[in-house]
Amino acid sequence: MHLAYPAVLAVLLFCVGLYGVLARRNAILVLMSVELMLNAVNLNLVAFDVWLRDALHSGQALTLFTIAIAAAEIGIGLAIVLAVYRNRGSSAIDDLRDTAERPDDPDAPDDDAEGAVAEEPAPAETAEKPKKSQKAEATA
């Protein structure tokens, strides 16, 4: 078997995955593109392991390790995407740009400015407000 065939296939898979990471707006499609890139690397590892006739089969062992890491990565990534979808209603990556802690409002005080003091509500003010239950808020 020539090494060129799996290497070209791996390059094509990696390029498709790279395009998906750079061009897609949906977080799930970006995760799928990352998986394509990892599969291209796995294909190269196995192809070079066979081509070099390694007695220890270290390329195949490293491929199994990479597959296990990729499975954990996709599980955590999907959990994050689901949490973002529940909070925002969309899994678009462009919508995540407004998650910065600082607002873009020019009138807002800057925390890094000298003499800026954050005002905290007094404990008595927060204790005096009656708390509504979620059911009462939903009916109001």
Side-chain angles (χ1 to χ4, degrees):
M1 175 175 82
H2 295 288
L3 185 61
Y5 299 128
V8 168
L9 180 61
V11 166
L12 290 175
L13 275 175
F14 194 85
C15 288
V16 169
L18 185 64
Y19 172 75
V21 167
L22 296 176
R24 297 295 176 184
R25 302 287 184 229
N26 191 349
I28 295 175
L29 291 177
V30 170
L31 286 173
M32 289 173 61
S33 298
V34 169
E35 290 296 320
L36 272 177
M37 293 167 64
L38 286 172
N39 284 332
V41 171
N42 288 340
L43 182 62
N44 268 335
L45 285 171
V46 171
F48 276 98
D49 183 55
V50 169
W51 185 64
L52 293 173
R53 294 184 179 97
D54 187 16
L56 296 175
H57 299 292
S58 57
Q60 294 177 17
L62 190 58
T63 297
L64 290 174
F65 180 72
T66 307
I67 290 171
I69 295 297
E73 174 256 334
I74 202 71
I76 292 171
L78 282 176
I80 291 171
V81 168
L82 284 175
V84 167
Y85 182 77
R86 285 182 186 161
N87 288 336
R88 303 249 177 207
S90 172
S91 64
I93 294 177
D94 290 338
D95 294 341
L96 297 178
R97 292 185 182 165
D98 62 347
T99 59
E101 293 180 14
R102 293 173 128 182
D104 291 332
D105 187 28
D107 297 335
D110 190 12
D111 292 339
D112 295 334
E114 291 182 23
V117 177
E119 295 180 22
E120 294 182 12
E125 293 176 7
T126 57
E128 291 175 8
K129 295 180 183 177
K131 295 183 180 179
K132 292 182 182 179
S133 68
Q134 291 178 353
K135 194 178 216 182
E137 288 179 356
T139 57

